[in-house]
Coordinates of all heavy atoms in Angstrom, one line a residue:
E120 N 42.5 -42.5 82.9 CA 43.6 -42.7 82.0 C 43.4 -43.8 81.1 O 43.9 -43.8 79.9 CB 44.9 -42.8 82.8 CG 45.7 -41.6 83.1 CD 45.9 -40.6 82.0 OE1 46.5 -41.0 80.9 OE2 45.6 -39.5 82.1
G121 N 42.8 -44.9 81.5 CA 42.6 -46.1 80.7 C 41.9 -45.8 79.4 O 42.1 -46.5 78.4
L122 N 41.0 -44.9 79.4 CA 40.2 -44.6 78.2 C 41.1 -43.9 77.1 O 40.7 -43.9 75.9 CB 39.0 -43.8 78.5 CG 37.8 -44.5 79.1 CD1 36.7 -43.6 79.4 CD2 37.4 -45.7 78.3
N123 N 42.2 -43.3 77.5 CA 43.1 -42.6 76.5 C 43.5 -43.6 75.4 O 43.5 -43.2 74.3 CB 44.3 -42.1 77.2 CG 44.1 -40.6 77.5 OD1 43.4 -39.9 76.9 ND2 44.9 -40.1 78.5
S124 N 43.7 -44.8 75.8 CA 44.1 -45.8 74.8 C 43.0 -46.1 73.8 O 43.3 -46.5 72.6 CB 44.6 -47.1 75.4 OG 43.6 -47.7 76.1
C125 N 41.8 -45.9 74.2 CA 40.6 -46.0 73.2 C 40.7 -44.9 72.2 O 40.2 -45.1 71.1 CB 39.3 -46.0 73.9 SG 39.0 -47.4 74.9
L126 N 41.2 -43.8 72.6 CA 41.1 -42.6 71.7 C 42.3 -42.3 70.9 O 42.4 -41.4 70.1 CB 40.7 -41.4 72.6 CG 39.4 -41.5 73.4 CD1 39.3 -40.3 74.4 CD2 38.3 -41.6 72.5
D127 N 43.4 -43.1 71.2 CA 44.6 -42.8 70.4 C 44.8 -43.9 69.3 O 43.9 -44.7 69.0 CB 45.8 -42.7 71.3 CG 46.2 -43.9 72.1 OD1 45.7 -45.0 71.7 OD2 47.0 -43.8 73.1
H128 N 46.0 -44.0 68.8 CA 46.3 -45.0 67.7 C 46.1 -46.4 68.1 O 45.8 -47.3 67.2 CB 47.8 -44.8 67.3 CG 48.8 -45.2 68.3 ND1 49.1 -44.3 69.4 CD2 49.5 -46.3 68.5 CE1 50.0 -44.9 70.1 NE2 50.2 -46.1 69.6
R129 N 46.1 -46.7 69.4 CA 45.9 -48.1 69.8 C 44.4 -48.6 69.6 O 44.2 -49.8 69.4 CB 46.3 -48.3 71.3 CG 47.8 -48.1 71.5 CD 48.1 -48.1 72.9 NE 47.7 -46.8 73.5 CZ 47.9 -46.4 74.7 NH1 48.5 -47.2 75.6 NH2 47.6 -45.2 75.1
A130 N 43.5 -47.7 69.8 CA 42.1 -48.0 69.7 C 41.7 -49.3 70.4 O 41.0 -50.1 69.9 CB 41.6 -48.0 68.2
S131 N 42.2 -49.4 71.6 CA 41.9 -50.6 72.4 C 41.9 -50.2 73.9 O 42.4 -49.1 74.3 CB 42.9 -51.7 72.2 OG 44.2 -51.2 72.6
V132 N 41.3 -51.0 74.7 CA 41.4 -50.8 76.2 C 41.7 -52.2 76.8 O 41.1 -53.2 76.4 CB 40.1 -50.2 76.7 CG1 38.9 -51.1 76.5 CG2 40.2 -49.8 78.2
Y133 N 42.6 -52.1 77.8 CA 42.9 -53.4 78.5 C 42.2 -53.3 79.9 O 42.2 -52.3 80.6 CB 44.4 -53.4 78.8 CG 44.9 -54.6 79.6 CD1 44.8 -55.9 79.1 CD2 45.3 -54.4 80.9 CE1 45.2 -57.0 79.9 CE2 45.6 -55.5 81.7 CZ 45.6 -56.8 81.2 OH 45.9 -57.8 82.0
I134 N 41.5 -54.4 80.2 CA 40.8 -54.6 81.4 C 41.6 -55.5 82.3 O 41.5 -56.8 82.1 CB 39.3 -55.1 81.2 CG1 38.6 -54.2 80.2 CG2 38.6 -55.1 82.6 CD1 38.4 -52.8 80.6
P135 N 42.3 -55.0 83.3 CA 43.2 -55.9 84.1 C 42.4 -57.0 84.8 O 42.9 -58.1 85.0 CB 43.9 -55.0 85.0 CG 43.4 -53.6 84.8 CD 42.4 -53.7 83.7
E136 N 41.2 -56.7 85.3 CA 40.4 -57.7 86.0 C 40.1 -58.9 85.2 O 39.9 -60.0 85.7 CB 39.1 -57.0 86.6 CG 39.3 -56.0 87.6 CD 39.7 -54.6 87.1 OE1 39.7 -54.4 85.8 OE2 39.9 -53.7 87.8
L137 N 40.0 -58.7 83.9 CA 39.7 -59.8 83.0 C 40.9 -60.3 82.3 O 40.9 -61.4 81.6 CB 38.7 -59.3 81.9 CG 37.3 -58.8 82.4 CD1 36.5 -58.3 81.3 CD2 36.6 -59.9 83.2
G138 N 42.0 -59.5 82.3 CA 43.2 -59.9 81.6 C 43.0 -59.9 80.1 O 43.7 -60.7 79.4
Q139 N 42.2 -59.0 79.6 CA 41.9 -59.0 78.2 C 42.0 -57.6 77.7 O 41.7 -56.6 78.3 CB 40.4 -59.5 77.9 CG 40.2 -61.0 78.1 CD 38.8 -61.3 77.7 OE1 37.9 -61.1 78.4 NE2 38.7 -61.9 76.5
T140 N 42.3 -57.5 76.4 CA 42.3 -56.3 75.6 C 41.1 -56.3 74.7 O 40.9 -57.3 74.0 CB 43.6 -56.1 74.9 OG1 44.7 -56.0 75.8 CG2 43.6 -54.8 74.0
F141 N 40.4 -55.2 74.6 CA 39.2 -55.1 73.7 C 39.5 -54.0 72.7 O 39.9 -52.9 73.0 CB 38.0 -54.7 74.5 CG 37.5 -55.8 75.5 CD1 38.0 -55.8 76.8 CD2 36.7 -56.8 75.1 CE1 37.6 -56.8 77.7 CE2 36.3 -57.8 76.0 CZ 36.8 -57.8 77.3
Q142 N 39.3 -54.4 71.4 CA 39.5 -53.5 70.3 C 38.3 -52.6 70.1 O 37.2 -53.1 70.2 CB 39.9 -54.2 69.0 CG 41.2 -55.0 69.1 CD 42.4 -54.1 69.3 OE1 42.5 -53.0 68.7 NE2 43.3 -54.5 70.2
C143 N 38.5 -51.4 69.8 CA 37.4 -50.5 69.5 C 37.0 -50.6 68.0 O 38.0 -50.5 67.2 CB 37.7 -49.0 69.8 SG 38.2 -48.8 71.6
P144 N 35.8 -50.6 67.6 CA 35.4 -50.6 66.2 C 35.7 -49.2 65.6 O 35.8 -48.3 66.3 CB 33.9 -50.9 66.2 CG 33.4 -50.5 67.6 CD 34.6 -50.7 68.5
P145 N 35.9 -49.2 64.3 CA 36.2 -47.9 63.7 C 35.2 -46.8 64.0 O 35.5 -45.6 63.9 CB 36.2 -48.2 62.2 CG 36.3 -49.7 62.1 CD 35.8 -50.2 63.3
T146 N 34.0 -47.1 64.3 CA 32.9 -46.1 64.5 C 32.8 -45.8 66.0 O 31.9 -45.1 66.4 CB 31.6 -46.7 64.1 OG1 31.3 -47.9 64.8 CG2 31.5 -46.9 62.6
F147 N 33.8 -46.2 66.8 CA 33.8 -46.0 68.3 C 33.7 -44.5 68.6 O 34.5 -43.7 68.1 CB 35.0 -46.7 68.9 CG 35.1 -46.5 70.4 CD1 34.3 -47.3 71.2 CD2 35.9 -45.6 71.0 CE1 34.3 -47.1 72.6 CE2 36.0 -45.4 72.3 CZ 35.2 -46.2 73.2
R148 N 32.9 -44.1 69.5 CA 32.7 -42.7 70.0 C 32.5 -42.8 71.5 O 31.9 -43.7 72.0 CB 31.6 -42.0 69.3 CG 31.7 -41.9 67.8 CD 32.8 -41.0 67.4 NE 32.8 -40.8 65.9 CZ 33.6 -41.6 65.1 NH1 34.3 -42.5 65.6 NH2 33.5 -41.4 63.8
I149 N 32.9 -41.7 72.2 CA 32.6 -41.6 73.6 C 31.8 -40.3 73.8 O 32.2 -39.2 73.3 CB 33.9 -41.5 74.4 CG1 34.6 -42.9 74.4 CG2 33.6 -41.1 75.9 CD1 35.8 -42.9 75.2
F150 N 30.8 -40.3 74.5 CA 30.0 -39.2 75.0 C 30.2 -39.2 76.5 O 29.9 -40.1 77.2 CB 28.5 -39.3 74.6 CG 27.7 -38.1 75.1 CD1 27.6 -36.9 74.4 CD2 27.1 -38.2 76.3 CE1 26.9 -35.9 74.8 CE2 26.3 -37.1 76.8 CZ 26.2 -36.0 76.0
A151 N 30.7 -38.1 77.0 CA 31.0 -38.0 78.5 C 30.3 -36.8 79.1 O 30.1 -35.8 78.4 CB 32.5 -37.9 78.7
A152 N 30.0 -36.9 80.3 CA 29.4 -35.8 81.1 C 30.0 -35.7 82.5 O 30.3 -36.8 83.1 CB 27.9 -35.9 81.2
Q153 N 30.3 -34.5 82.9 CA 30.9 -34.4 84.3 C 30.4 -33.1 84.9 O 30.3 -32.1 84.3 CB 32.4 -34.3 84.2 CG 33.1 -34.1 85.5 CD 34.6 -34.0 85.4 OE1 35.2 -33.9 84.3 NE2 35.3 -33.9 86.5
N154 N 30.0 -33.2 86.2 CA 29.6 -32.0 86.9 C 30.9 -31.2 87.2 O 32.0 -31.8 87.3 CB 28.9 -32.4 88.2 CG 27.5 -32.9 88.0 OD1 26.9 -32.7 87.0 ND2 27.1 -33.7 88.9
P155 N 30.7 -29.9 87.4 CA 31.9 -29.1 87.8 C 32.5 -29.6 89.1 O 31.8 -30.2 89.9 CB 31.3 -27.7 88.0 CG 30.0 -27.7 87.3 CD 29.5 -29.1 87.3
L156 N 33.8 -29.5 89.2 CA 34.5 -30.0 90.4 C 34.0 -29.3 91.7 O 34.2 -29.9 92.8 CB 36.0 -29.8 90.2 CG 36.7 -30.6 89.2 CD1 38.2 -30.3 89.1 CD2 36.6 -32.1 89.5
T157 N 33.5 -28.1 91.5 CA 33.0 -27.5 92.7 C 31.7 -28.1 93.3 O 31.3 -27.8 94.4 CB 32.7 -26.0 92.4 OG1 31.8 -25.9 91.3 CG2 33.9 -25.2 92.1
Q158 N 31.1 -29.0 92.5 CA 29.9 -29.7 92.9 C 30.3 -31.1 93.4 O 31.0 -31.7 92.7 CB 28.8 -29.8 91.8 CG 28.2 -28.5 91.4 CD 27.2 -28.7 90.3 OE1 27.0 -29.8 89.8 NE2 26.5 -27.6 89.9
G159 N 29.7 -31.5 94.5 CA 30.1 -32.8 95.0 C 31.3 -32.7 95.9 O 31.9 -31.6 96.1
G160 N 31.7 -33.7 96.5 CA 32.8 -33.6 97.4 C 34.0 -34.5 97.1 O 33.9 -35.7 96.7
G161 N 35.2 -33.9 97.2 CA 36.4 -34.7 97.2 C 36.8 -35.3 95.8 O 37.7 -36.2 95.8
R162 N 36.3 -34.9 94.7 CA 36.7 -35.4 93.5 C 37.9 -34.8 92.9 O 38.1 -33.6 93.1 CB 35.6 -35.3 92.4 CG 34.4 -36.2 92.7 CD 33.4 -36.1 91.6 NE 32.8 -34.7 91.6 CZ 32.5 -34.0 90.6 NH1 32.6 -34.6 89.4 NH2 32.0 -32.8 90.7
K163 N 38.7 -35.5 92.2 CA 39.9 -34.9 91.6 C 39.6 -34.7 90.1 O 38.7 -35.3 89.6 CB 41.1 -35.9 91.6 CG 41.6 -36.2 93.0 CD 42.9 -37.0 93.0 CE 42.7 -38.3 92.4 NZ 43.9 -39.1 92.4
G164 N 40.2 -33.7 89.6 CA 40.0 -33.4 88.2 C 40.6 -34.4 87.3 O 41.5 -35.2 87.6
L165 N 40.0 -34.6 86.1 CA 40.6 -35.5 85.1 C 41.9 -34.9 84.5 O 42.0 -33.7 84.4 CB 39.5 -35.7 84.0 CG 38.3 -36.4 84.4 CD1 37.2 -36.4 83.3 CD2 38.6 -37.9 84.8
P166 N 42.8 -35.8 84.0 CA 44.0 -35.3 83.4 C 43.8 -34.5 82.2 O 42.8 -34.7 81.4 CB 44.8 -36.6 83.1 CG 44.1 -37.7 83.8 CD 42.7 -37.2 84.1
K167 N 44.6 -33.4 82.0 CA 44.4 -32.6 80.8 C 44.6 -33.3 79.5 O 43.9 -33.0 78.5 CB 45.5 -31.4 80.8 CG 45.1 -30.3 81.7 CD 45.9 -29.1 81.4 CE 45.4 -28.0 82.3 NZ 45.3 -26.7 81.6
S168 N 45.5 -34.4 79.5 CA 45.6 -35.2 78.3 C 44.3 -35.8 77.9 O 44.1 -36.1 76.7 CB 46.7 -36.2 78.5 OG 46.4 -37.1 79.5
F169 N 43.5 -36.1 78.9 CA 42.2 -36.7 78.6 C 41.2 -35.7 78.2 O 40.4 -35.8 77.2 CB 41.7 -37.6 79.8 CG 40.5 -38.4 79.6 CD1 40.5 -39.5 78.7 CD2 39.3 -38.0 80.2 CE1 39.4 -40.2 78.5 CE2 38.2 -38.8 80.0 CZ 38.2 -39.9 79.1
L170 N 41.1 -34.6 79.0 CA 40.1 -33.5 78.8 C 40.3 -32.9 77.4 O 39.3 -32.5 76.8 CB 40.2 -32.5 79.9 CG 39.7 -32.9 81.2 CD1 40.0 -31.8 82.3 CD2 38.3 -33.3 81.2
N171 N 41.5 -32.8 76.9 CA 41.8 -32.1 75.7 C 41.2 -32.9 74.5 O 41.1 -32.3 73.4 CB 43.3 -32.0 75.4 CG 43.9 -30.9 76.4 OD1 43.2 -30.1 76.9 ND2 45.2 -31.0 76.6
R172 N 40.8 -34.1 74.7 CA 40.2 -34.9 73.6 C 38.7 -34.6 73.4 O 38.1 -35.1 72.5 CB 40.4 -36.4 73.9 CG 41.9 -36.8 73.9 CD 42.0 -38.2 74.3 NE 43.4 -38.6 74.4 CZ 44.1 -39.1 73.4 NH1 43.5 -39.2 72.2 NH2 45.3 -39.5 73.5
F173 N 38.1 -33.8 74.3 CA 36.7 -33.5 74.3 C 36.4 -32.1 74.0 O 37.2 -31.2 74.2 CB 36.1 -33.9 75.6 CG 36.1 -35.4 75.9 CD1 37.2 -35.9 76.6 CD2 35.1 -36.2 75.5 CE1 37.2 -37.3 76.9 CE2 35.1 -37.6 75.8 CZ 36.2 -38.1 76.5
T174 N 35.2 -31.8 73.5 CA 34.7 -30.5 73.4 C 33.8 -30.2 74.6 O 32.9 -31.0 74.9 CB 33.8 -30.4 72.1 OG1 34.6 -30.7 71.0 CG2 33.2 -29.0 71.9
K175 N 34.1 -29.1 75.2 CA 33.4 -28.8 76.5 C 32.1 -28.0 76.1 O 32.2 -27.0 75.3 CB 34.2 -27.9 77.4 CG 35.4 -28.7 78.0 CD 36.1 -27.9 79.0 CE 37.3 -28.6 79.6 NZ 38.1 -27.8 80.5
V176 N 31.0 -28.4 76.6 CA 29.8 -27.7 76.4 C 29.2 -27.4 77.8 O 29.0 -28.4 78.6 CB 28.8 -28.5 75.6 CG1 27.4 -27.8 75.5 CG2 29.4 -28.8 74.2
Y177 N 28.9 -26.2 78.2 CA 28.3 -25.9 79.5 C 26.8 -25.7 79.3 O 26.4 -25.0 78.4 CB 29.0 -24.6 80.0 CG 30.4 -24.7 80.3 CD1 31.4 -24.4 79.3 CD2 30.9 -25.3 81.5 CE1 32.8 -24.6 79.6 CE2 32.2 -25.4 81.8 CZ 33.1 -25.1 80.8 OH 34.5 -25.3 81.0
V178 N 26.1 -26.3 80.2 CA 24.6 -26.3 80.2 C 24.1 -25.7 81.5 O 24.5 -26.2 82.6 CB 24.1 -27.7 79.9 CG1 22.6 -27.7 79.9 CG2 24.7 -28.3 78.7
E179 N 23.2 -24.8 81.4 CA 22.6 -24.2 82.6 C 21.6 -25.2 83.1 O 21.0 -26.0 82.4 CB 21.8 -22.9 82.2 CG 22.7 -21.8 81.8 CD 23.6 -21.3 82.9 OE1 23.1 -21.2 84.0 OE2 24.8 -21.0 82.6
A180 N 21.4 -25.1 84.4 CA 20.4 -26.0 85.1 C 19.0 -25.7 84.6 O 18.7 -24.6 84.2 CB 20.4 -25.7 86.6
L181 N 18.2 -26.8 84.5 CA 16.8 -26.6 84.1 C 16.0 -25.8 85.1 O 16.2 -26.0 86.3 CB 16.2 -28.0 83.9 CG 16.8 -28.8 82.8 CD1 16.2 -30.2 82.8 CD2 16.6 -28.2 81.4
T182 N 15.2 -24.9 84.6 CA 14.3 -24.2 85.5 C 13.1 -25.0 85.9 O 12.8 -26.1 85.2 CB 13.8 -22.9 84.9 OG1 13.0 -23.2 83.8 CG2 15.0 -22.0 84.4
N183 N 12.3 -24.6 86.8 CA 11.0 -25.3 87.2 C 10.1 -25.3 86.0 O 9.4 -26.3 85.7 CB 10.4 -24.7 88.4 CG 11.1 -25.1 89.7 OD1 11.9 -25.9 89.7 ND2 10.7 -24.4 90.7
K184 N 10.1 -24.2 85.2 CA 9.2 -24.1 84.0 C 9.7 -25.2 83.0 O 8.8 -25.8 82.4 CB 9.3 -22.7 83.4 CG 8.4 -22.5 82.2 CD 8.5 -21.1 81.7 CE 7.7 -21.0 80.4 NZ 7.8 -19.6 79.9
D185 N 11.0 -25.3 82.8 CA 11.5 -26.3 81.9 C 11.1 -27.7 82.4 O 10.6 -28.5 81.5 CB 13.1 -26.3 81.9 CG 13.7 -25.0 81.4 OD1 13.0 -24.4 80.5 OD2 14.8 -24.7 81.8
L186 N 11.2 -28.0 83.6 CA 10.9 -29.3 84.2 C 9.4 -29.6 84.0 O 9.0 -30.7 83.6 CB 11.3 -29.5 85.6 CG 12.8 -29.4 85.9 CD1 13.0 -29.4 87.4 CD2 13.5 -30.6 85.3
R187 N 8.5 -28.6 84.3 CA 7.1 -28.8 84.1 C 6.8 -29.1 82.6 O 6.0 -30.0 82.3 CB 6.3 -27.6 84.5 CG 6.2 -27.5 86.1 CD 5.3 -26.4 86.5 NE 5.6 -25.1 85.9 CZ 6.3 -24.2 86.5 NH1 6.9 -24.5 87.7 NH2 6.5 -23.0 86.0
G188 N 7.4 -28.4 81.7 CA 7.2 -28.6 80.3 C 7.6 -29.9 79.8 O 6.9 -30.6 79.0
I189 N 8.8 -30.4 80.3 CA 9.3 -31.7 79.9 C 8.4 -32.8 80.4 O 8.0 -33.7 79.6 CB 10.7 -31.9 80.4 CG1 11.7 -31.0 79.7 CG2 11.2 -33.4 80.3 CD1 13.1 -30.9 80.3
V190 N 8.0 -32.8 81.7 CA 7.2 -33.8 82.2 C 5.8 -33.8 81.5 O 5.3 -34.9 81.2 CB 7.0 -33.6 83.7 CG1 6.0 -34.6 84.3 CG2 8.4 -33.8 84.4
S191 N 5.2 -32.6 81.3 CA 3.9 -32.5 80.7 C 3.9 -33.0 79.3 O 3.0 -33.7 78.8 CB 3.4 -31.1 80.7 OG 3.2 -30.7 82.1
A192 N 5.0 -32.7 78.5 CA 5.1 -33.2 77.1 C 5.3 -34.7 77.1 O 4.8 -35.4 76.2 CB 6.2 -32.4 76.4
R193 N 6.1 -35.2 78.0 CA 6.5 -36.6 77.9 C 5.4 -37.5 78.5 O 5.2 -38.6 78.1 CB 7.8 -36.8 78.7 CG 8.3 -38.2 78.7 CD 8.8 -38.7 77.4 NE 9.3 -40.0 77.4 CZ 8.6 -41.1 77.2 NH1 7.3 -41.0 77.0 NH2 9.2 -42.3 77.3
F194 N 4.7 -37.0 79.5 CA 3.7 -37.8 80.2 C 2.4 -36.9 80.3 O 2.0 -36.5 81.4 CB 4.1 -38.2 81.6 CG 5.4 -38.9 81.6 CD1 6.6 -38.3 81.9 CD2 5.4 -40.3 81.3 CE1 7.8 -39.0 81.9 CE2 6.6 -41.0 81.3 CZ 7.8 -40.4 81.6
P195 N 1.7 -36.8 79.2 CA 0.5 -35.9 79.1 C -0.7 -36.3 80.0 O -1.5 -35.5 80.3 CB 0.1 -35.8 77.6 CG 0.7 -37.1 77.0 CD 2.0 -37.4 77.9
L196 N -0.7 -37.6 80.4 CA -1.8 -38.1 81.2 C -1.6 -37.7 82.7 O -2.6 -37.9 83.5 CB -2.0 -39.6 81.0 CG -2.3 -40.0 79.6 CD1 -2.5 -41.5 79.5 CD2 -3.6 -39.3 79.1
I197 N -0.4 -37.3 83.1 CA -0.2 -36.9 84.5 C -0.9 -35.5 84.7 O -0.6 -34.6 84.0 CB 1.2 -36.8 84.9 CG1 1.9 -38.2 84.8 CG2 1.4 -36.3 86.3 CD1 3.4 -38.2 85.0
P198 N -1.8 -35.4 85.7 CA -2.5 -34.2 86.0 C -1.5 -33.1 86.3 O -0.4 -33.3 87.0 CB -3.4 -34.5 87.2 CG -3.5 -36.0 87.2 CD -2.3 -36.5 86.6
Q199 N -1.8 -31.8 85.9 CA -0.9 -30.7 86.2 C -0.6 -30.5 87.6 O 0.6 -30.1 88.0 CB -1.5 -29.4 85.6 CG -1.2 -29.2 84.1 CD 0.3 -29.3 83.8 OE1 0.6 -30.2 83.0 NE2 1.1 -28.4 84.3
L200 N -1.5 -30.7 88.5 CA -1.3 -30.5 89.9 C -0.2 -31.5 90.4 O 0.7 -31.2 91.2 CB -2.5 -30.7 90.8 CG -2.4 -30.6 92.3 CD1 -1.8 -29.2 92.6 CD2 -3.7 -30.9 93.0
T201 N -0.2 -32.7 89.9 CA 0.8 -33.7 90.2 C 2.1 -33.3 89.7 O 3.2 -33.5 90.3 CB 0.4 -35.1 89.7 OG1 -0.9 -35.5 90.2 CG2 1.4 -36.2 90.0
V202 N 2.1 -32.8 88.4 CA 3.4 -32.3 87.8 C 4.0 -31.2 88.7 O 5.2 -31.2 89.0 CB 3.2 -31.9 86.4 CG1 4.4 -31.2 85.8 CG2 2.8 -33.0 85.5
E203 N 3.1 -30.3 89.1 CA 3.6 -29.2 90.0 C 4.2 -29.7 91.3 O 5.3 -29.3 91.7 CB 2.4 -28.3 90.3 CG 1.9 -27.4 89.2 CD 2.9 -26.3 88.8 OE1 3.7 -25.9 89.7 OE2 2.9 -25.8 87.7
R204 N 3.6 -30.7 91.9 CA 4.1 -31.3 93.1 C 5.4 -32.0 92.9 O 6.3 -32.0 93.7 CB 3.0 -32.2 93.7 CG 1.8 -31.5 94.3 CD 0.8 -32.4 94.8 NE -0.3 -31.7 95.4 CZ -1.5 -32.2 95.7 NH1 -1.7 -33.5 95.5 NH2 -2.4 -31.4 96.3
M205 N 5.5 -32.7 91.8 CA 6.7 -33.4 91.4 C 7.9 -32.4 91.3 O 9.0 -32.7 91.8 CB 6.6 -34.2 90.1 CG 5.7 -35.4 90.3 SD 5.2 -36.1 88.7 CE 6.7 -36.6 88.0
V206 N 7.7 -31.4 90.6 CA 8.7 -30.3 90.3 C 9.1 -29.7 91.6 O 10.3 -29.5 91.9 CB 8.2 -29.3 89.3 CG1 9.2 -28.1 89.2 CG2 8.1 -30.0 87.9
H207 N 8.1 -29.4 92.5 CA 8.4 -28.8 93.8 C 9.2 -29.7 94.6 O 10.2 -29.3 95.3 CB 7.0 -28.5 94.5 CG 7.3 -27.9 95.9 ND1 7.7 -26.6 96.1 CD2 7.1 -28.5 97.1 CE1 7.9 -26.5 97.4 NE2 7.5 -27.6 98.0
F208 N 8.9 -31.0 94.6 CA 9.6 -32.0 95.4 C 11.0 -32.1 94.9 O 12.0 -32.1 95.7 CB 9.0 -33.4 95.3 CG 9.8 -34.5 96.0 CD1 9.7 -34.6 97.3 CD2 10.5 -35.4 95.2 CE1 10.5 -35.6 97.9 CE2 11.3 -36.4 95.8 CZ 11.3 -36.5 97.2
N209 N 11.2 -32.1 93.6 CA 12.6 -32.1 93.0 C 13.4 -30.9 93.5 O 14.6 -31.1 93.8 CB 12.5 -32.1 91.5 CG 13.8 -32.2 90.8 OD1 14.5 -33.2 90.9 ND2 14.2 -31.1 90.1
G210 N 12.8 -29.7 93.5 CA 13.5 -28.5 93.9 C 13.9 -28.6 95.4 O 15.0 -28.2 95.8
T211 N 13.0 -29.2 96.2 CA 13.3 -29.4 97.6 C 14.5 -30.3 97.8 O 15.4 -30.1 98.6 CB 12.1 -29.9 98.4 OG1 11.0 -29.0 98.2 CG2 12.3 -30.1 99.8
V212 N 14.5 -31.4 97.1 CA 15.6 -32.4 97.2 C 16.9 -31.8 96.7 O 18.0 -32.1 97.3 CB 15.2 -33.7 96.4 CG1 16.4 -34.6 96.3 CG2 14.1 -34.4 97.0
Q213 N 16.9 -30.9 95.7 CA 18.1 -30.3 95.1 C 18.7 -29.3 96.1 O 19.9 -29.1 96.0 CB 17.8 -29.7 93.8 CG 17.4 -30.6 92.7 CD 18.4 -31.6 92.4 OE1 19.6 -31.3 92.3 NE2 18.0 -32.9 92.2
R214 N 18.0 -28.7 97.0 CA 18.5 -27.7 97.9 C 19.4 -28.3 98.9 O 19.7 -29.2 99.4 CB 17.4 -26.9 98.5 CG 16.9 -25.9 97.5 CD 15.9 -25.0 98.2 NE 14.7 -25.0 97.3 CZ 13.5 -25.1 97.7 NH1 13.2 -25.2 98.9 NH2 12.5 -25.2 96.8

């Protein structure tokens, strides 16, 4: 709820622990990401008044082929066998 004041006419946020209010510059923007509520445990949903301020974009999970391509493109010196093992390990951890 505290971020709502950043996005409305006040364009500021109060941090009680510091006892200070911080003004947002005119170019202030927020980029947010949230996993679905069905993932993870015991989280509450964000208030609709907050969610309505964002555009929702749904993204599918990356495939193993995607991950191999990203790692290979970003780190071309890593041998393919190592990339395969990294991707396999990632999949094992995700299950």
Side-chain angles (χ1 to χ4, degrees):
E120 269 310 304
L122 285 178
N123 263 336
S124 64
C125 288
L126 302 173
D127 65 17
H128 66 280
R129 295 171 283 184
S131 64
V132 64
Y133 176 71
I134 308 296
E136 294 82 3
L137 300 176
Q139 287 185 284
T140 298
F141 295 90
Q142 297 298 317
C143 301
T146 57
F147 180 78
R148 302 287 183 267
I149 291 180
F150 177 85
Q153 178 183 5
N154 289 336
L156 291 176
T157 56
Q158 291 181 357
R162 287 183 296 144
K163 296 190 298 185
L165 294 170
K167 279 194 178 225
S168 62
F169 187 70
L170 291 176
N171 288 340
R172 297 175 181 273
F173 293 92
T174 300
K175 292 182 182 180
V176 176
Y177 295 92
V178 179
E179 294 293 322
L181 295 172
T182 66
N183 285 350
K184 182 179 177 182
D185 295 331
L186 294 173
R187 285 191 303 270
I189 291 167
V190 173
S191 295
R193 182 68 179 89
F194 303 100
L196 298 180
I197 296 177
Q199 275 308 116
L200 181 58
T201 303
V202 171
E203 289 288 337
R204 289 177 176 164
M205 291 167 61
V206 170
H207 177 74
F208 175 77
N209 182 67
T211 301
V212 171
Q213 295 296 320
R214 283 185 232 136

